[in-house]
Amino acid sequence: HGILLHYPGQHMLRLKQSHNPHNLLSKPKKDCVATEKPRAHVYMPPELLVPVEVPIGVLKSFYLLPSLMHRLESLMLAIQLREEISCGLDNCSRSSSL
């Protein structure tokens, strides 16, 4: 990657994924059996790591963003479609979440 290490002989740190990514806006189906995926590990030299002074609760809330953005996009598309279907009619009784 074109990175020049200051200490090329240093030991590598074995890092694991901090969370299990999934869609947080939908409930898992009851008939689906959750299969445990093997955790992938990455090896990094310690000098490339940067400490982040963010509480773990805040960090975990960032995991909601992809699901939240997908839901907002779906609702916006539903509103646009409802406006196109109504063709200017004032009586639009269907909600965007439908």
Side-chain angles (χ1 to χ4, degrees), residues 62-75:
F62 288 150
Y63 299 147
L64 293 170
L65 287 176
S67 296
L68 182 63
M69 295 304 293
H70 177 73
R71 179 70 174 150
L72 285 174
E73 180 185 19
S74 297
L75 286 174

Side-chain angles (χ1 to χ4, degrees), residues 24-93:
L24 299 170
L25 295 178
S26 66
K27 295 180 181 178
K29 296 178 182 177
K30 291 181 181 179
D31 58 345
C32 290
V33 177
T35 58
E36 186 68 25
K37 294 182 181 178
R39 296 243 176 187
H41 292 87
V42 178
Y43 293 91
M44 294 280 293
E47 67 183 75
L48 296 181
L49 301 178
V50 178
V52 179
E53 300 295 327
V54 177
I56 192 70
V58 174
L59 189 61
K60 285 185 177 182
S61 67
F62 288 150
Y63 299 147
L64 293 170
L65 287 176
S67 296
L68 182 63
M69 295 304 293
H70 177 73
R71 179 70 174 150
L72 285 174
E73 180 185 19
S74 297
L75 286 174
M76 290 175 59
L77 289 172
I79 290 170
Q80 289 176 353
L81 181 62
R82 184 182 64 181
E83 290 173 357
E84 288 181 21
I85 290 175
S86 68
C87 298
L89 297 175
D90 294 330
N91 186 9
C92 187
S93 61

